Amino acid sequence: MSRFIRWQGLATFAVIVGLIVAFIYIFAETLVKNGLEYGGGHYLGAEVNVESVEINYNPLQLHINALQATDPASPSQNTFSFAKASAGLDVWQYIFGKILIDELAIEALAFSTPRTSEGEVYQPIFSLSDEEGDGLSAMLSPQDISLPDPEALLKEANL
């Protein structure tokens, strides 16, 4: 049996998997926090601030502390903010194909609240001016689209 197992390869595989798990365990909270700020900011078009993120692994729970999302129309206001949000998932049920959410809560949710400092508003990826908008609507006008006559299609078809 030992001639079928390459112990050097198995040890290397175990070390690589261990390093990946350690990296995720150590940096998961920072990666989730940065992902929320970056992804939420680009989705909303304005700055998103997260105070901290906590991840518990047994049971799997995610806690987000003090999130503020800037309103792009008014940078001194928040679109929404909350003091704490938490979500928990039963991993063993998820492995068996069932989704069992143990906990889902948002504390102190508020809309259109003033910010302590003005948030940054990002430039949209593309913007249409009035002239470009008219050109775009002219390019997509339904007058250019003409469908063939169904009888003509049947006559041309070799049935």
Side-chain angles (χ1 to χ4, degrees):
M1 180 69 174
S2 65
R3 65 182 173 168
F4 295 115
I5 298 175
R6 295 178 16 191
W7 295 106
Q8 296 87 0
L10 187 62
T12 304
F13 177 74
V15 167
I16 290 172
V17 169
L19 288 173
I20 291 171
V21 169
F23 178 79
I24 290 172
Y25 184 77
I26 292 170
F27 296 111
E29 293 175 353
T30 305
L31 291 172
V32 170
K33 178 181 183 260
N34 291 340
L36 283 171
E37 289 177 345
Y38 180 78
H42 285 290
Y43 179 74
L44 293 173
E47 183 179 11
V48 173
N49 303 105
V50 178
E51 183 179 306
S52 65
V53 172
E54 300 169 11
I55 299 175
N56 298 329
Y57 294 99
N58 192 14
L60 183 62
Q61 293 180 336
L62 173 69
H63 301 282
I64 302 169
N65 297 318
L67 183 134
Q68 294 182 347
T70 305
D71 185 3
S74 173
S76 61
Q77 296 278 333
N78 287 323
T79 301
F80 67 91
S81 63
F82 56 78
K84 184 175 184 179
S86 54
L89 179 70
D90 189 351
V91 177
W92 293 109
Q93 293 297 322
Y94 186 72
I95 290 172
F96 295 121
K98 298 177 184 174
I99 298 176
L100 180 61
I101 299 173
D102 291 335
E103 174 187 7
L104 187 60
I106 297 179
E107 297 175 11
L109 177 64
F111 296 97
S112 189
T113 57
R115 293 179 60 90
T116 55
S117 64
E118 192 169 298
E120 183 179 347
V121 176
Y122 305 130
Q123 294 294 326
I125 295 172
F126 62 90
S127 63
L128 297 176
S129 64
D130 291 337
E131 298 86 28
E132 291 172 347
D134 293 338
L136 183 63
S137 63
M139 286 181 2
L140 299 176
S141 67
Q143 298 168 355
D144 295 341
I145 300 172
S146 62
L147 296 175
D149 184 33
E151 292 179 10
L153 284 176
L154 287 174
K155 286 179 185 176
E156 294 175 7
N158 188 9
L159 299 176

